Amino acid sequence: MKLKDGFELRNLCGDKIVSATGLDNLNFNKLLSLNKTAAYLWEKFYGKEFSVEDLVDALTEVYDVDREVAATDCGKLVEAWKDAGVLD
């Protein structure tokens, strides 16, 4: 899977927000608020193909988190990104 092109992670008053840019995403009228770990994953994998396992590997390399917990959280994050329409 891959995050769709035309989305930008921005810092808005200390919060990490994803918004659409360009005409390709004209119908995307949402702002996605990401916590610190979701923003880290967005920055690390934007523009790249990845799997849930890649996300889990990235989290466990940087954060002191149990692999099973990371896998559950990454699965939920991927579903949220799918629901929001930002994944290909």
Side-chain angles (χ1 to χ4, degrees):
M1 76 191 100
K2 185 176 175 184
L3 292 161
K4 288 184 180 179
D5 291 331
F7 290 94
E8 187 174 316
L9 181 63
R10 299 176 184 194
N11 189 358
L12 182 65
C13 298
D15 292 328
K16 297 291 187 169
I17 304 294
V18 174
S19 62
T21 60
L23 296 176
D24 290 341
N25 297 308
L26 188 60
N27 292 329
F28 186 87
N29 57 3
K30 306 172 197 166
L31 292 177
L32 299 178
S33 178
L34 302 182
N35 65 22
K36 183 179 177 180
T37 53
Y40 163 74
L41 293 172
W42 182 282
E43 290 173 328
K44 183 167 181 66
F45 291 102
Y46 189 78
K48 301 173 186 172
E49 290 283 333
F50 62 90
S51 66
V52 172
E53 194 66 26
D54 294 328
L55 299 177
V56 172
D57 289 342
L59 278 187
T60 56
E61 288 172 7
V62 174
Y63 295 97
D64 183 24
V65 61
D66 181 75
R67 189 160 188 85
E68 287 181 35
V69 171
T72 299
D73 291 347
C74 288
K76 290 178 184 177
L77 178 63
V78 165
E79 287 305 312
W81 284 350
K82 282 180 187 176
D83 291 345
V86 297
L87 278 181
D88 275 332

